[in-house]
Amino acid sequence: MPESFVTGIDQQTQEQMCELLNARLADGIDLRLAVKQAHWNLRGRGYIGVHELLDEVSARLGEGTDMMAERVAMMGGLARGTSQVVAKQTDLEAYPVELTAIEDHVSALVERFKAYGESLRKAIDSAGEAGDEDSADLFTEVSRLVEKDTWFIGANAAD
């Protein structure tokens, strides 16, 4: 394992946190790809607004995954974010590639955002219990963004 630059946390805890961070990294990358899938293929009333929103959401997901990957590297671990690893490690349900209707994309994305949000909340608790408040705080920051984006996307659902 490469050198760690994190102090006050024993190596075993750092290794556990690297595993947890990599697990949520895989989910975040998978979700970002689902957002781009929707962005590229959605059709219907309100198209341009949702299309542009999804670009912004994708960028925020990228910021969150970048923070997780960098935290892994700080701990001397290796961030595992290739498409092959993500495909094997993600806990999210596969995104349906045949969708085109905005309402269908909104529903599919909200479902996955909620699942990701739930896994982030569990990660907050796990990191806190392990004594790694910095990773817990990172997961909290990402969770806040994910919840806000869940709302932004979900607000586009037809009544």
Side-chain angles (χ1 to χ4, degrees):
M1 197 161 159
E3 177 182 4
S4 171
F5 297 95
V6 173
T7 58
I9 302 171
D10 64 66
Q11 183 176 350
Q12 182 179 357
T13 301
Q14 288 185 50
E15 289 172 4
Q16 290 170 344
M17 291 301 98
C18 287
E19 297 248 343
L20 182 59
L21 286 156
N22 269 314
R24 299 298 64 86
L25 175 64
D27 292 345
I29 292 169
D30 186 26
L31 186 55
R32 187 175 188 196
L33 291 171
V35 167
K36 291 307 282 187
Q37 178 68 26
H39 168 83
W40 295 322
N41 292 293
L42 59 88
R43 307 279 186 276
R45 185 176 309 278
Y47 164 81
I48 195 64
V50 177
H51 181 78
E52 289 175 353
L53 169 64
L54 294 181
D55 252 351
E56 295 168 11
V57 168
S58 174
R60 282 189 289 275
L61 284 168
E63 291 168 13
T65 56
D66 197 49
M67 287 188 295
M68 286 185 261
E70 288 172 350
R71 180 83 179 144
V72 169
M74 280 185 254
M75 290 187 177
L78 296 171
R80 302 189 190 296
T82 66
S83 59
Q84 295 82 6
V85 170
V86 169
K88 289 179 185 174
Q89 299 298 319
T90 186
D91 288 333
L92 300 179
E93 186 178 325
Y95 196 82
V97 297
E98 70 281 352
L99 299 181
T100 58
I102 287 176
E103 296 81 16
D104 294 341
H105 281 293
V106 166
S107 178
L109 288 171
V110 166
E111 178 183 318
R112 282 155 186 82
F113 268 79
K114 285 182 176 180
Y116 186 43
E118 184 178 334
S119 69
L120 287 167
R121 286 193 174 275
K122 289 177 183 174
I124 294 165
D125 292 341
S126 296
E129 290 168 7
D132 183 1
E133 294 304 323
D134 288 347
S135 290
D137 185 56
L138 187 156
F139 287 128
T140 300
E141 183 177 350
V142 174
S143 176
R144 282 189 192 113
L145 294 173
V146 166
E147 284 185 355
K148 189 173 184 179
D149 284 332
T150 304
W151 171 51
F152 282 171
I153 294 167
N156 287 284
D159 290 329

